[in-house]
Amino acid sequence: MDKIHLPKEIYERLDLKENEEIEIVDLAADSFTIRKINARKSDKAPKWFIIPTIISAFIFIIFAFVLKHPHVIALSGNESLATAVITIANAIGMLTFISAYFSRRKEFYKQMTKRSYWRTFATVTLSVLLIVILASMGLFWFLGQIFYGVSFGLFTSTLIFTIFSGIINYVMIFVVDTFSINMMVTMLLVVSVGGFVSSMATNGNQYWWQRNFSLLGTQASRSSWQFNLTLIVSAALFAALIDYIFVSLRQKAGSHYRQNILQVLLTLCAISIALVGLIPNDPGWMHIAHDIVAQLIVLFMAISILGIRWFLPNADPNLYRMSYFIVGLILISYVLWHPIHYLTLTAFEILSFSLSFAWLLLLVNTLINMLWNTKKIYKISLNSIEEKSEK
């Protein structure tokens, strides 16, 4: 068998032992991946999703008889197939996710610290729950529009429910099997964008945009809980993501007070976003408190963006250029709103939110590259094992 010589730090990073075997995969023209043979990620989804699916199917049948729907079950409505999937299937799916996520905690300790794991546990779980609920609600709303008024017998309803439950449980275990820091970023994007778009679509007032963006979270909107919950979960997920990244940065490169200040600012920004969701823009003291915390978001974001060169002096120069470019676009949109009155308040809020959110994603991506995508150069030797043995 051919042998390969690895630098000591890579040898230690892979936790290799003497004469242990490694494998080279993803071999391309100019790159490849080295990993331990026993380091493959176990794919538990095809095997373990069946058990919770069967349990949820039995619960569905029991509820069908308890609610006196043993023969005909509607696709949508209060006591319907859609309600069963959104409540029963998603509840069992979340228990499946929690069990799988907890069972793999020792493997996750290698990706993140033990403290980071437990800090992100509740946030990740809540984010996954919100994603599956929003996806289920959106899907059955769409199906209800296409198949308006349709009903199914108990056997057909159970079969359809079992299929949806199986998909949810499979996805839950698959998410745990493939969980990574990049997935947390994707979850943040899906929760934020998906939650806001669905709130706009289901708020019940087609002319909400004539007032302001915060109207979606007030009593005037039928989807206020959805909008506010999206803000709270997005803020919690962003705070957990920032904590995860900065803790890992301190472990790798030591503690730096500039980075610590940036982490505090971003965490305060996340807390302010959560408070905007907790304090809707309803009349009275809530309106005043809502405006104050909204202004705090602007303050913390402005300090973070304008001072990014000082906070991260060794970051990619593209981060500095894009930061000042985004600040310029926000200032232009502000001028177009207030003095010129070309943009409405809602348009300005959506533009500034979108630009700020894009900057946060850019910052997270830069921090991830600083943390994991570091490059190291080695000199190569063309002497083979056979040549050395002949000498």
Side-chain angles (χ1 to χ4, degrees):
M1 180 180 292
D2 293 333
K3 293 186 177 181
I4 184 172
H5 292 273
L6 297 176
K8 183 179 180 181
E9 57 185 298
I10 296 180
Y11 187 86
E12 294 174 349
R13 181 74 179 270
L14 294 175
D15 194 22
L16 295 171
K17 298 179 182 177
E18 189 67 27
N19 295 322
E20 189 172 0
E21 295 179 357
I22 61 172
E23 60 182 357
I24 295 178
V25 294
D26 300 329
L27 189 61
D30 58 352
S31 63
F32 58 85
T33 301
I34 298 177
R35 70 184 182 193
K36 295 175 64 174
I37 290 181
N38 60 354
R40 295 193 187 103
K41 289 183 179 179
S42 58
D43 189 5
K44 298 180 181 179
K47 296 181 293 184
W48 293 106
F49 84 102
I50 297 176
I51 298 174
T53 301
I54 294 174
I55 294 173
S56 61
F58 274 112
I59 295 175
F60 173 77
I61 295 173
I62 292 171
F63 269 89
F65 281 95
V66 170
L67 297 175
K68 299 179 180 180
H69 293 288
H71 302 297
V72 178
I73 300 176
L75 175 64
S76 57
N78 292 331
E79 299 177 358
S80 64
L81 187 61
T83 304
V85 172
I86 294 172
T87 55
I88 300 173
N90 284 338
I92 298 296
M94 287 313 303
L95 291 176
T96 302
F97 177 85
I98 293 172
S99 301
Y101 196 73
F102 182 76
S103 65
R104 290 198 59 199
R105 63 190 183 281
K106 292 183 179 179
E107 297 178 41
F108 287 134
Y109 291 164
K110 298 177 182 178
Q111 301 179 31
M112 62 182 83
T113 63
K114 187 175 182 179
R115 184 175 60 177
S116 297
Y117 170 84
W118 289 110
R119 283 184 183 181
T120 58
F121 185 89
T123 304
V124 170
T125 303
L126 187 59
S127 300
V128 171
L129 176 62
L130 183 59
I131 290 173
V132 295
I133 288 178
L134 291 176
S136 301
M137 291 176 63
L139 176 62
F140 278 99
W141 176 85
F142 179 72
L143 293 176
Q145 298 299 311
I146 298 177
F147 304 103
Y148 184 77
V150 67
S151 300
F152 303 100
L154 179 60
F155 176 78
T156 305
S157 298
T158 304
L159 181 61
I160 296 174
F161 174 85
T162 304
I163 292 173
F164 277 105
S165 180
I167 293 173
I168 291 172
N169 285 291
Y170 183 91
V171 170
M172 292 297 99
I173 300 176
F174 179 79
V175 167
V176 175
D177 283 341
T178 58
F179 186 81
S180 64
I181 183 67
N182 292 324
M183 183 173 290
M184 289 185 68
V185 178
T186 303
M187 288 168 58
L188 174 62
L189 184 62
V190 171
V191 169
S192 302
V193 177
F196 292 142
V197 171
S198 61
S199 299
M200 295 177 196
T202 61
N203 77 95
N205 182 2
Q206 295 180 341
Y207 299 99
W208 64 271
W209 51 270
Q210 293 181 348
R211 290 181 59 184
N212 53 55
F213 193 58
S214 296
L215 177 68
L216 296 174
T218 63
Q219 298 174 352
S221 173
R222 291 187 305 187
S223 60
S224 60
W225 69 270
Q226 189 172 314
F227 179 83
N228 294 327
L229 184 61
T230 297
L231 284 172
I232 296 169
V233 175
S234 298
L237 188 56
F238 178 65
L241 188 63
I242 290 299
D243 181 71
Y244 177 17
I245 292 175
F246 277 94
V247 168
S248 301
L249 275 174
R250 281 193 289 271
Q251 285 186 333
K252 180 178 180 180
S255 180
H256 299 280
Y257 74 97
R258 296 186 183 187
Q259 293 180 3
N260 295 338
I261 295 174
L262 179 60
Q263 181 184 3
V264 170
L265 287 171
L266 295 174
T267 303
L268 289 174
C269 182
I271 293 173
S272 300
I273 293 173
L275 288 175
V276 168
L278 288 170
I279 308 173
N281 193 17
D282 290 321
W285 69 269
M286 285 190 172
H287 172 71
I288 299 174
H290 181 91
D291 284 351
I292 291 174
V293 293
Q295 291 167 7
L296 288 176
I297 297 174
V298 176
L299 174 64
F300 297 138
M301 283 294 298
I303 297 174
S304 301
I305 297 176
L306 294 174
I308 192 62
R309 186 183 290 274
W310 185 81
F311 293 127
L312 299 174
N314 299 321
D316 188 345
N318 288 327
L319 175 64
Y320 309 141
R321 289 191 286 266
M322 289 302 300
S323 297
Y324 301 140
F325 177 70
I326 287 174
V327 169
L329 290 178
I330 293 176
L331 290 175
I332 291 173
S333 62
Y334 178 81
V335 171
L336 291 175
W337 163 56
H338 197 55
I340 299 179
H341 300 291
Y342 177 77
L343 296 176
T344 63
L345 173 59
T346 304
F348 168 70
E349 288 178 331
I350 293 177
L351 280 173
S352 57
F353 165 78
S354 301
L355 291 169
S356 300
F357 188 73
W359 182 82
L360 289 175
L361 292 178
L362 175 64
L363 174 65
V364 168
N365 184 65
T366 302
L367 293 173
I368 290 174
N369 288 333
M370 291 173 60
L371 186 58
W372 281 286
N373 295 340
T374 55
K375 298 178 181 178
K376 188 145 189 184
I377 299 175
Y378 299 95
K379 289 185 178 181
I380 62 171
S381 174
L382 299 179
N383 294 331
S384 65
I385 299 298
E386 289 79 12
E387 290 176 343
K388 289 184 178 180
S389 61
E390 290 176 1
K391 293 181 181 179

